[in-house]
Amino acid sequence: LTQTVDNIINKTYGDNINIYSHKIPKSVKVGESILKSKSVIEYAKDNIVSLAYNELAQEVLKNGNDRKW
């Protein structure tokens, strides 16, 4: 289902807006971090979700730096 929705979004909006390539996966650590009142990066910095958020942040920053104003 996720892949189907992703494909629909890319086909519908892909030429008009930037769709980032990095996706955030699911992990139990996210729920655990909420219970500890911490971000998942603070709680489990080496978890796949934390790494994915860091990669997405880098992609967003690169997109901003590459943009022509």
Side-chain angles (χ1 to χ4, degrees):
L1 180 61
T2 302
Q3 188 62 42
T4 302
V5 173
D6 194 44
N7 288 338
I8 291 169
I9 291 171
N10 278 314
K11 287 178 185 175
T12 305
Y13 301 106
D15 293 335
N16 300 315
I17 63 171
N18 182 33
I19 299 174
Y20 294 105
S21 62
H22 287 88
K23 309 296 184 226
I24 308 301
K26 294 179 181 180
S27 172
V28 177
K29 294 292 183 187
V30 174
E32 292 174 3
S33 71
I34 293 168
L35 291 174
K36 299 289 184 180
S37 298
K38 294 183 175 187
S39 72
V40 70
I41 295 172
E42 292 173 305
Y43 181 72
K45 68 177 182 172
D46 294 326
N47 181 265
I48 58 169
V49 173
S50 298
L51 299 173
Y53 272 116
N54 283 322
E55 290 171 355
L56 177 61
Q58 291 302 313
E59 188 176 356
V60 170
L61 290 172
K62 182 183 181 312
N63 181 57
N65 288 336
D66 290 348
R67 219 171 164 178
K68 305 281 188 233
W69 299 95

